[in-house]
Amino acid sequence: MKLLPVLLAAGASSRFQGAKLAASLPNGRTLLQQSFATLKELKGSCGTQLLPVHVCLGGHYQRLRPLLPRDTPVIASADWQLGLGHSIATVARFAATQQVDALLLTLADQVLISTRDLEQLLATWQESGHTSAAWYLQQAGAPAIFNRAEFAALANLSGDRGAKALLSQLQGQKKLAWLALDSAATDIDTRADLRRLSEQGEINVTTQD
């Protein structure tokens, strides 16, 4: 089984009023670098081969690209300004051209998620065989692993809505596995969010650069 991990980092960060993912955390990393490092540490196991981590960029591309290693594969979202759904659709269309069985989508502003959290999500997917998602705030959401059967539905997303409606539909059809993941409930939308997180000192460092 081949799994393509993609970090979604294409948003405009309008509520942050600037390049949110280039903002620094107390550990010295930017939000983008923290989330990338967490995903990069995830290893394949039990017959699952992980492809190199890809990053979907759009808004603030020129500011964010230099923050990633030079050899990082980038998926450019031409319609990023139209919303998250368009960026996910771009990634799904790319994934459909690759010889992969599933797609792991993570959000770059969910900086409290650890590599261990992703390992548990991977295990949930492997054990169930179903598309699998984090469960928090009484619903399923990112990070999530989508089986190839869902790529077409993902490719049809649009606007600023992500894949939560698809996850809800799969849940109703009993085709969704989920993992309770409180760390996924925290994301950074505003500068006030970042200040609160910094004051709490809860950033989970997964590796040393």
PDB file of all heavy atoms in Angstrom, residues 18-52:
ATOM      1  N   GLY A  18      -1.701  38.493   7.518  1.00  0.00           N
ATOM      2  CA  GLY A  18      -0.291  38.324   7.168  1.00  0.00           C
ATOM      3  C   GLY A  18       0.004  36.875   6.875  1.00  0.00           C
ATOM      4  O   GLY A  18      -0.897  36.037   6.833  1.00  0.00           O
ATOM      5  N   ALA A  19       1.270  36.576   6.657  1.00  0.00           N
ATOM      6  CA  ALA A  19       1.689  35.211   6.342  1.00  0.00           C
ATOM      7  C   ALA A  19       1.741  34.385   7.625  1.00  0.00           C
ATOM      8  O   ALA A  19       2.799  34.220   8.236  1.00  0.00           O
ATOM      9  CB  ALA A  19       3.041  35.214   5.639  1.00  0.00           C
ATOM     10  N   LYS A  20       0.601  33.882   8.029  1.00  0.00           N
ATOM     11  CA  LYS A  20       0.467  33.161   9.299  1.00  0.00           C
ATOM     12  C   LYS A  20       1.493  32.052   9.451  1.00  0.00           C
ATOM     13  O   LYS A  20       2.121  31.902  10.506  1.00  0.00           O
ATOM     14  CB  LYS A  20      -0.946  32.586   9.394  1.00  0.00           C
ATOM     15  CG  LYS A  20      -1.184  31.637  10.543  1.00  0.00           C
ATOM     16  CD  LYS A  20      -2.619  31.165  10.597  1.00  0.00           C
ATOM     17  CE  LYS A  20      -2.989  30.250   9.450  1.00  0.00           C
ATOM     18  NZ  LYS A  20      -4.376  29.748   9.562  1.00  0.00           N
ATOM     19  N   LEU A  21       1.662  31.260   8.421  1.00  0.00           N
ATOM     20  CA  LEU A  21       2.516  30.082   8.536  1.00  0.00           C
ATOM     21  C   LEU A  21       3.996  30.425   8.608  1.00  0.00           C
ATOM     22  O   LEU A  21       4.828  29.559   8.890  1.00  0.00           O
ATOM     23  CB  LEU A  21       2.250  29.123   7.372  1.00  0.00           C
ATOM     24  CG  LEU A  21       0.820  28.589   7.298  1.00  0.00           C
ATOM     25  CD1 LEU A  21       0.657  27.650   6.117  1.00  0.00           C
ATOM     26  CD2 LEU A  21       0.436  27.882   8.594  1.00  0.00           C
ATOM     27  N   ALA A  22       4.337  31.698   8.380  1.00  0.00           N
ATOM     28  CA  ALA A  22       5.721  32.150   8.528  1.00  0.00           C
ATOM     29  C   ALA A  22       5.975  32.718   9.919  1.00  0.00           C
ATOM     30  O   ALA A  22       7.112  33.088  10.245  1.00  0.00           O
ATOM     31  CB  ALA A  22       6.054  33.196   7.467  1.00  0.00           C
ATOM     32  N   ALA A  23       4.927  32.788  10.742  1.00  0.00           N
ATOM     33  CA  ALA A  23       5.084  33.294  12.104  1.00  0.00           C
ATOM     34  C   ALA A  23       5.855  32.293  12.951  1.00  0.00           C
ATOM     35  O   ALA A  23       5.768  31.079  12.749  1.00  0.00           O
ATOM     36  CB  ALA A  23       3.718  33.571  12.717  1.00  0.00           C
ATOM     37  N   SER A  24       6.594  32.804  13.918  1.00  0.00           N
ATOM     38  CA  SER A  24       7.472  31.944  14.725  1.00  0.00           C
ATOM     39  C   SER A  24       6.768  31.432  15.979  1.00  0.00           C
ATOM     40  O   SER A  24       5.958  32.130  16.590  1.00  0.00           O
ATOM     41  CB  SER A  24       8.728  32.711  15.138  1.00  0.00           C
ATOM     42  OG  SER A  24       9.506  33.031  14.007  1.00  0.00           O
ATOM     43  N   LEU A  25       7.127  30.211  16.355  1.00  0.00           N
ATOM     44  CA  LEU A  25       6.679  29.582  17.585  1.00  0.00           C
ATOM     45  C   LEU A  25       7.783  29.717  18.632  1.00  0.00           C
ATOM     46  O   LEU A  25       8.928  30.039  18.302  1.00  0.00           O
ATOM     47  CB  LEU A  25       6.378  28.108  17.329  1.00  0.00           C
ATOM     48  CG  LEU A  25       5.216  27.831  16.372  1.00  0.00           C
ATOM     49  CD1 LEU A  25       5.225  26.375  15.922  1.00  0.00           C
ATOM     50  CD2 LEU A  25       3.883  28.175  17.037  1.00  0.00           C
ATOM     51  N   PRO A  26       7.476  29.459  19.910  1.00  0.00           N
ATOM     52  CA  PRO A  26       8.496  29.583  20.958  1.00  0.00           C
ATOM     53  C   PRO A  26       9.711  28.691  20.743  1.00  0.00           C
ATOM     54  O   PRO A  26      10.801  29.009  21.230  1.00  0.00           O
ATOM     55  CB  PRO A  26       7.734  29.181  22.231  1.00  0.00           C
ATOM     56  CG  PRO A  26       6.319  29.527  21.938  1.00  0.00           C
ATOM     57  CD  PRO A  26       6.133  29.223  20.489  1.00  0.00           C
ATOM     58  N   ASN A  27       9.562  27.593  20.016  1.00  0.00           N
ATOM     59  CA  ASN A  27      10.699  26.696  19.799  1.00  0.00           C
ATOM     60  C   ASN A  27      11.603  27.156  18.647  1.00  0.00           C
ATOM     61  O   ASN A  27      12.557  26.472  18.302  1.00  0.00           O
ATOM     62  CB  ASN A  27      10.214  25.259  19.549  1.00  0.00           C
ATOM     63  CG  ASN A  27       9.342  25.126  18.317  1.00  0.00           C
ATOM     64  OD1 ASN A  27       9.297  26.006  17.455  1.00  0.00           O
ATOM     65  ND2 ASN A  27       8.617  24.028  18.224  1.00  0.00           N
ATOM     66  N   GLY A  28      11.284  28.309  18.051  1.00  0.00           N
ATOM     67  CA  GLY A  28      12.131  28.852  17.002  1.00  0.00           C
ATOM     68  C   GLY A  28      11.704  28.485  15.595  1.00  0.00           C
ATOM     69  O   GLY A  28      12.197  29.064  14.626  1.00  0.00           O
ATOM     70  N   ARG A  29      10.808  27.536  15.478  1.00  0.00           N
ATOM     71  CA  ARG A  29      10.298  27.168  14.165  1.00  0.00           C
ATOM     72  C   ARG A  29       9.116  28.048  13.778  1.00  0.00           C
ATOM     73  O   ARG A  29       8.426  28.584  14.633  1.00  0.00           O
ATOM     74  CB  ARG A  29       9.833  25.712  14.152  1.00  0.00           C
ATOM     75  CG  ARG A  29      10.934  24.680  14.205  1.00  0.00           C
ATOM     76  CD  ARG A  29      10.321  23.308  14.187  1.00  0.00           C
ATOM     77  NE  ARG A  29      11.326  22.258  14.119  1.00  0.00           N
ATOM     78  CZ  ARG A  29      11.166  21.050  14.590  1.00  0.00           C
ATOM     79  NH1 ARG A  29      10.026  20.735  15.176  1.00  0.00           N
ATOM     80  NH2 ARG A  29      12.112  20.146  14.488  1.00  0.00           N
ATOM     81  N   THR A  30       8.872  28.130  12.481  1.00  0.00           N
ATOM     82  CA  THR A  30       7.630  28.736  12.026  1.00  0.00           C
ATOM     83  C   THR A  30       6.529  27.687  12.100  1.00  0.00           C
ATOM     84  O   THR A  30       6.794  26.483  12.242  1.00  0.00           O
ATOM     85  CB  THR A  30       7.757  29.229  10.578  1.00  0.00           C
ATOM     86  OG1 THR A  30       7.982  28.102   9.716  1.00  0.00           O
ATOM     87  CG2 THR A  30       8.907  30.225  10.435  1.00  0.00           C
ATOM     88  N   LEU A  31       5.276  28.130  11.976  1.00  0.00           N
ATOM     89  CA  LEU A  31       4.168  27.180  11.979  1.00  0.00           C
ATOM     90  C   LEU A  31       4.348  26.162  10.856  1.00  0.00           C
ATOM     91  O   LEU A  31       4.116  24.963  11.050  1.00  0.00           O
ATOM     92  CB  LEU A  31       2.832  27.912  11.800  1.00  0.00           C
ATOM     93  CG  LEU A  31       2.143  28.428  13.059  1.00  0.00           C
ATOM     94  CD1 LEU A  31       2.919  29.591  13.679  1.00  0.00           C
ATOM     95  CD2 LEU A  31       0.713  28.862  12.753  1.00  0.00           C
ATOM     96  N   LEU A  32       4.756  26.635   9.683  1.00  0.00           N
ATOM     97  CA  LEU A  32       4.951  25.733   8.549  1.00  0.00           C
ATOM     98  C   LEU A  32       6.029  24.709   8.844  1.00  0.00           C
ATOM     99  O   LEU A  32       5.858  23.507   8.590  1.00  0.00           O
ATOM    100  CB  LEU A  32       5.312  26.542   7.305  1.00  0.00           C
ATOM    101  CG  LEU A  32       5.577  25.729   6.037  1.00  0.00           C
ATOM    102  CD1 LEU A  32       4.321  24.971   5.605  1.00  0.00           C
ATOM    103  CD2 LEU A  32       6.074  26.632   4.908  1.00  0.00           C
ATOM    104  N   GLN A  33       7.146  25.153   9.386  1.00  0.00           N
ATOM    105  CA  GLN A  33       8.256  24.233   9.673  1.00  0.00           C
ATOM    106  C   GLN A  33       7.887  23.225  10.751  1.00  0.00           C
ATOM    107  O   GLN A  33       8.281  22.059  10.678  1.00  0.00           O
ATOM    108  CB  GLN A  33       9.488  25.030  10.087  1.00  0.00           C
ATOM    109  CG  GLN A  33      10.094  25.827   8.953  1.00  0.00           C
ATOM    110  CD  GLN A  33      11.116  26.843   9.412  1.00  0.00           C
ATOM    111  OE1 GLN A  33      11.075  27.307  10.568  1.00  0.00           O
ATOM    112  NE2 GLN A  33      12.043  27.203   8.537  1.00  0.00           N
ATOM    113  N   GLN A  34       7.111  23.654  11.753  1.00  0.00           N
ATOM    114  CA  GLN A  34       6.692  22.737  12.809  1.00  0.00           C
ATOM    115  C   GLN A  34       5.824  21.612  12.247  1.00  0.00           C
ATOM    116  O   GLN A  34       6.046  20.430  12.516  1.00  0.00           O
ATOM    117  CB  GLN A  34       5.932  23.498  13.895  1.00  0.00           C
ATOM    118  CG  GLN A  34       5.363  22.631  15.007  1.00  0.00           C
ATOM    119  CD  GLN A  34       6.454  21.992  15.854  1.00  0.00           C
ATOM    120  OE1 GLN A  34       7.514  22.580  16.033  1.00  0.00           O
ATOM    121  NE2 GLN A  34       6.173  20.806  16.379  1.00  0.00           N
ATOM    122  N   SER A  35       4.816  21.991  11.460  1.00  0.00           N
ATOM    123  CA  SER A  35       3.903  20.988  10.911  1.00  0.00           C
ATOM    124  C   SER A  35       4.609  20.090   9.905  1.00  0.00           C
ATOM    125  O   SER A  35       4.332  18.889   9.842  1.00  0.00           O
ATOM    126  CB  SER A  35       2.707  21.685  10.246  1.00  0.00           C
ATOM    127  OG  SER A  35       1.961  22.394  11.202  1.00  0.00           O
ATOM    128  N   PHE A  36       5.512  20.661   9.130  1.00  0.00           N
ATOM    129  CA  PHE A  36       6.263  19.860   8.165  1.00  0.00           C
ATOM    130  C   PHE A  36       7.142  18.839   8.889  1.00  0.00           C
ATOM    131  O   PHE A  36       7.199  17.667   8.499  1.00  0.00           O
ATOM    132  CB  PHE A  36       7.120  20.764   7.284  1.00  0.00           C
ATOM    133  CG  PHE A  36       7.935  20.027   6.256  1.00  0.00           C
ATOM    134  CD1 PHE A  36       7.360  19.611   5.063  1.00  0.00           C
ATOM    135  CD2 PHE A  36       9.270  19.738   6.488  1.00  0.00           C
ATOM    136  CE1 PHE A  36       8.108  18.914   4.109  1.00  0.00           C
ATOM    137  CE2 PHE A  36      10.034  19.051   5.553  1.00  0.00           C
ATOM    138  CZ  PHE A  36       9.450  18.641   4.355  1.00  0.00           C
ATOM    139  N   ALA A  37       7.833  19.279   9.950  1.00  0.00           N
ATOM    140  CA  ALA A  37       8.708  18.369  10.702  1.00  0.00           C
ATOM    141  C   ALA A  37       7.917  17.222  11.322  1.00  0.00           C
ATOM    142  O   ALA A  37       8.357  16.071  11.323  1.00  0.00           O
ATOM    143  CB  ALA A  37       9.451  19.145  11.789  1.00  0.00           C
ATOM    144  N   THR A  38       6.730  17.539  11.842  1.00  0.00           N
ATOM    145  CA  THR A  38       5.878  16.510  12.437  1.00  0.00           C
ATOM    146  C   THR A  38       5.495  15.456  11.409  1.00  0.00           C
ATOM    147  O   THR A  38       5.581  14.246  11.669  1.00  0.00           O
ATOM    148  CB  THR A  38       4.605  17.150  13.027  1.00  0.00           C
ATOM    149  OG1 THR A  38       4.972  18.047  14.071  1.00  0.00           O
ATOM    150  CG2 THR A  38       3.672  16.097  13.579  1.00  0.00           C
ATOM    151  N   LEU A  39       5.081  15.897  10.232  1.00  0.00           N
ATOM    152  CA  LEU A  39       4.670  14.967   9.182  1.00  0.00           C
ATOM    153  C   LEU A  39       5.867  14.213   8.618  1.00  0.00           C
ATOM    154  O   LEU A  39       5.773  13.032   8.286  1.00  0.00           O
ATOM    155  CB  LEU A  39       3.945  15.739   8.084  1.00  0.00           C
ATOM    156  CG  LEU A  39       3.315  14.935   6.937  1.00  0.00           C
ATOM    157  CD1 LEU A  39       2.401  13.834   7.463  1.00  0.00           C
ATOM    158  CD2 LEU A  39       2.554  15.859   6.002  1.00  0.00           C
ATOM    159  N   LYS A  40       6.995  14.892   8.527  1.00  0.00           N
ATOM    160  CA  LYS A  40       8.204  14.283   7.965  1.00  0.00           C
ATOM    161  C   LYS A  40       8.674  13.106   8.815  1.00  0.00           C
ATOM    162  O   LYS A  40       9.253  12.140   8.299  1.00  0.00           O
ATOM    163  CB  LYS A  40       9.310  15.335   7.883  1.00  0.00           C
ATOM    164  CG  LYS A  40      10.571  14.899   7.178  1.00  0.00           C
ATOM    165  CD  LYS A  40      10.419  14.896   5.680  1.00  0.00           C
ATOM    166  CE  LYS A  40      11.750  14.672   4.990  1.00  0.00           C
ATOM    167  NZ  LYS A  40      11.595  14.611   3.503  1.00  0.00           N
ATOM    168  N   GLU A  41       8.425  13.155  10.116  1.00  0.00           N
ATOM    169  CA  GLU A  41       8.869  12.105  11.031  1.00  0.00           C
ATOM    170  C   GLU A  41       8.033  10.837  10.948  1.00  0.00           C
ATOM    171  O   GLU A  41       8.422   9.786  11.452  1.00  0.00           O
ATOM    172  CB  GLU A  41       8.862  12.616  12.472  1.00  0.00           C
ATOM    173  CG  GLU A  41      10.030  13.501  12.832  1.00  0.00           C
ATOM    174  CD  GLU A  41      11.332  12.721  12.829  1.00  0.00           C
ATOM    175  OE1 GLU A  41      11.534  11.885  13.731  1.00  0.00           O
ATOM    176  OE2 GLU A  41      12.138  12.939  11.911  1.00  0.00           O
ATOM    177  N   LEU A  42       6.875  10.917  10.317  1.00  0.00           N
ATOM    178  CA  LEU A  42       6.004   9.745  10.204  1.00  0.00           C
ATOM    179  C   LEU A  42       6.654   8.697   9.311  1.00  0.00           C
ATOM    180  O   LEU A  42       7.148   9.009   8.228  1.00  0.00           O
ATOM    181  CB  LEU A  42       4.653  10.158   9.618  1.00  0.00           C
ATOM    182  CG  LEU A  42       3.596   9.055   9.484  1.00  0.00           C
ATOM    183  CD1 LEU A  42       3.201   8.508  10.846  1.00  0.00           C
ATOM    184  CD2 LEU A  42       2.372   9.595   8.737  1.00  0.00           C
ATOM    185  N   LYS A  43       6.670   7.472   9.769  1.00  0.00           N
ATOM    186  CA  LYS A  43       7.290   6.372   9.033  1.00  0.00           C
ATOM    187  C   LYS A  43       6.231   5.360   8.599  1.00  0.00           C
ATOM    188  O   LYS A  43       5.246   5.149   9.286  1.00  0.00           O
ATOM    189  CB  LYS A  43       8.342   5.661   9.898  1.00  0.00           C
ATOM    190  CG  LYS A  43       9.393   6.591  10.485  1.00  0.00           C
ATOM    191  CD  LYS A  43      10.226   7.264   9.408  1.00  0.00           C
ATOM    192  CE  LYS A  43      11.309   8.144  10.058  1.00  0.00           C
ATOM    193  NZ  LYS A  43      12.078   8.894   9.025  1.00  0.00           N
ATOM    194  N   GLY A  44       6.473   4.737   7.477  1.00  0.00           N
ATOM    195  CA  GLY A  44       5.596   3.667   7.025  1.00  0.00           C
ATOM    196  C   GLY A  44       5.807   2.413   7.861  1.00  0.00           C
ATOM    197  O   GLY A  44       6.857   2.219   8.461  1.00  0.00           O
ATOM    198  N   SER A  45       4.793   1.576   7.912  1.00  0.00           N
ATOM    199  CA  SER A  45       4.897   0.325   8.664  1.00  0.00           C
ATOM    200  C   SER A  45       3.792  -0.609   8.213  1.00  0.00           C
ATOM    201  O   SER A  45       2.845  -0.214   7.536  1.00  0.00           O
ATOM    202  CB  SER A  45       4.772   0.591  10.174  1.00  0.00           C
ATOM    203  OG  SER A  45       3.512   1.148  10.476  1.00  0.00           O
ATOM    204  N   CYS A  46       3.938  -1.876   8.598  1.00  0.00           N
ATOM    205  CA  CYS A  46       2.896  -2.877   8.334  1.00  0.00           C
ATOM    206  C   CYS A  46       2.454  -2.887   6.868  1.00  0.00           C
ATOM    207  O   CYS A  46       1.258  -2.884   6.558  1.00  0.00           O
ATOM    208  CB  CYS A  46       1.683  -2.641   9.228  1.00  0.00           C
ATOM    209  SG  CYS A  46       2.036  -2.744  10.993  1.00  0.00           S
ATOM    210  N   GLY A  47       3.420  -2.864   5.982  1.00  0.00           N
ATOM    211  CA  GLY A  47       3.094  -2.956   4.573  1.00  0.00           C
ATOM    212  C   GLY A  47       2.696  -1.652   3.922  1.00  0.00           C
ATOM    213  O   GLY A  47       2.273  -1.648   2.763  1.00  0.00           O
ATOM    214  N   THR A  48       2.821  -0.537   4.633  1.00  0.00           N
ATOM    215  CA  THR A  48       2.489   0.764   4.060  1.00  0.00           C
ATOM    216  C   THR A  48       3.754   1.526   3.715  1.00  0.00           C
ATOM    217  O   THR A  48       4.620   1.734   4.568  1.00  0.00           O
ATOM    218  CB  THR A  48       1.651   1.610   5.038  1.00  0.00           C
ATOM    219  OG1 THR A  48       0.426   0.934   5.306  1.00  0.00           O
ATOM    220  CG2 THR A  48       1.347   2.980   4.446  1.00  0.00           C
ATOM    221  N   GLN A  49       3.856   1.944   2.465  1.00  0.00           N
ATOM    222  CA  GLN A  49       4.988   2.740   2.009  1.00  0.00           C
ATOM    223  C   GLN A  49       4.570   4.200   1.926  1.00  0.00           C
ATOM    224  O   GLN A  49       3.630   4.540   1.230  1.00  0.00           O
ATOM    225  CB  GLN A  49       5.469   2.264   0.638  1.00  0.00           C
ATOM    226  CG  GLN A  49       6.582   3.118   0.052  1.00  0.00           C
ATOM    227  CD  GLN A  49       6.919   2.739  -1.382  1.00  0.00           C
ATOM    228  OE1 GLN A  49       6.455   1.727  -1.893  1.00  0.00           O
ATOM    229  NE2 GLN A  49       7.717   3.565  -2.037  1.00  0.00           N
ATOM    230  N   LEU A  50       5.281   5.069   2.642  1.00  0.00           N
ATOM    231  CA  LEU A  50       4.994   6.495   2.598  1.00  0.00           C
ATOM    232  C   LEU A  50       5.850   7.157   1.524  1.00  0.00           C
ATOM    233  O   LEU A  50       7.073   6.989   1.494  1.00  0.00           O
ATOM    234  CB  LEU A  50       5.277   7.163   3.942  1.00  0.00           C
ATOM    235  CG  LEU A  50       4.082   7.385   4.861  1.00  0.00           C
ATOM    236  CD1 LEU A  50       3.504   6.035   5.294  1.00  0.00           C
ATOM    237  CD2 LEU A  50       4.473   8.209   6.070  1.00  0.00           C
ATOM    238  N   LEU A  51       5.201   7.897   0.643  1.00  0.00           N
ATOM    239  CA  LEU A  51       5.924   8.689  -0.338  1.00  0.00           C
ATOM    240  C   LEU A  51       6.486   9.929   0.348  1.00  0.00           C
ATOM    241  O   LEU A  51       6.105  10.258   1.475  1.00  0.00           O
ATOM    242  CB  LEU A  51       4.993   9.076  -1.484  1.00  0.00           C
ATOM    243  CG  LEU A  51       4.858   8.059  -2.628  1.00  0.00           C
ATOM    244  CD1 LEU A  51       4.211   6.769  -2.139  1.00  0.00           C
ATOM    245  CD2 LEU A  51       4.045   8.649  -3.783  1.00  0.00           C
ATOM    246  N   PRO A  52       7.385  10.669  -0.307  1.00  0.00           N
ATOM    247  CA  PRO A  52       7.891  11.906   0.287  1.00  0.00           C
ATOM    248  C   PRO A  52       6.758  12.877   0.600  1.00  0.00           C
ATOM    249  O   PRO A  52       5.754  12.926  -0.105  1.00  0.00           O
ATOM    250  CB  PRO A  52       8.809  12.469  -0.808  1.00  0.00           C
ATOM    251  CG  PRO A  52       9.239  11.266  -1.590  1.00  0.00           C
ATOM    252  CD  PRO A  52       8.053  10.347  -1.581  1.00  0.00           C
TER     253      PRO A  52
END
